[in-house]
Amino acid sequence: TTTTTTTTTTTTTTTTTTTTTTTTLSLTCGSDLISDTDFSSGLDGLWFTGKGSSSSLTVVSVDSRSAVYLPSGSSDSLFYEPISTSGASHLRVQFEYSATTVDSPRSLSVKLGSLDPAYSQSVTDITISSAVTWTTVSYDVPITDAPDSLFLEIDMEDGPLYIANVHIYPCTP
């Protein structure tokens, strides 16, 4: 007696289509909250450094700009305060940077902070892998849960690196 068994396999293929809709928020922005865009008051007033008097940051005139300069082999943080958030839903953070010689990748990180240590809002983390001359960047940062007063922090790892024309605008939809 010969018994033959036949097995039938059914394969079901399910295709899922996901549609992503990106909405660009239209913002109306007010006057610049940075009152010293050319660093004329130095780096020990509205602008100040993370390392105080031992800081290697200096204000220089370069390419028709007044810029903060970080030399090679150094790292430091540049701060500005106060930044008023009153009535704003977003802050538009805009600045220029230049790195004319890049031997190895370096980081440029920007964030908004507060005297309340619980609040910290990242603006951007930039990795500079090759030489770049005066690139302007702009970021719209939501601040719905932010305190009334913030500070700007720019963390710089290795130079030569220049930061210029820093602006912060309060914005609403």
Side-chain angles (χ1 to χ4, degrees), residues 65 94-98 108 133-137 162-167:
R65 294 166 173 83
Q94 179 179 310
F95 62 93
E96 287 184 294
Y97 68 94
S98 176
L108 172 61
T133 303
W134 296 121
T135 297
T136 301
V137 290
Y162 299 88
I163 301 290
N165 288 318
V166 183
H167 305 280

Side-chain angles (χ1 to χ4, degrees), residues 89-155:
S89 64
H90 293 71
L91 290 180
R92 177 165 294 169
V93 181
Q94 179 179 310
F95 62 93
E96 287 184 294
Y97 68 94
S98 176
T100 52
T101 304
V102 179
D103 299 322
S104 59
R106 64 200 55 173
S107 66
L108 172 61
S109 300
V110 182
K111 61 185 176 182
L112 296 168
S114 166
L115 293 179
D116 178 358
Y119 181 85
S120 180
Q121 175 69 56
S122 174
V123 175
T124 185
D125 291 296
I126 300 171
T127 299
I128 304 171
S129 301
S130 58
V132 59
T133 303
W134 296 121
T135 297
T136 301
V137 290
S138 182
Y139 306 92
D140 292 335
V141 185
I143 55 165
T144 308
D145 300 323
D148 291 338
S149 182
L150 299 177
F151 61 78
L152 175 71
E153 179 177 345
I154 303 175
D155 298 321

Side-chain angles (χ1 to χ4, degrees), residues 6-12:
T6 302
T7 303
T8 302
T9 303
T10 303
T11 302
T12 303

Side-chain angles (χ1 to χ4, degrees), residues 44-58:
D44 55 1
L46 296 171
W47 289 105
F48 56 97
T49 72
K51 293 183 178 178
S53 59
S54 63
S55 173
S56 56
L57 294 176
T58 55

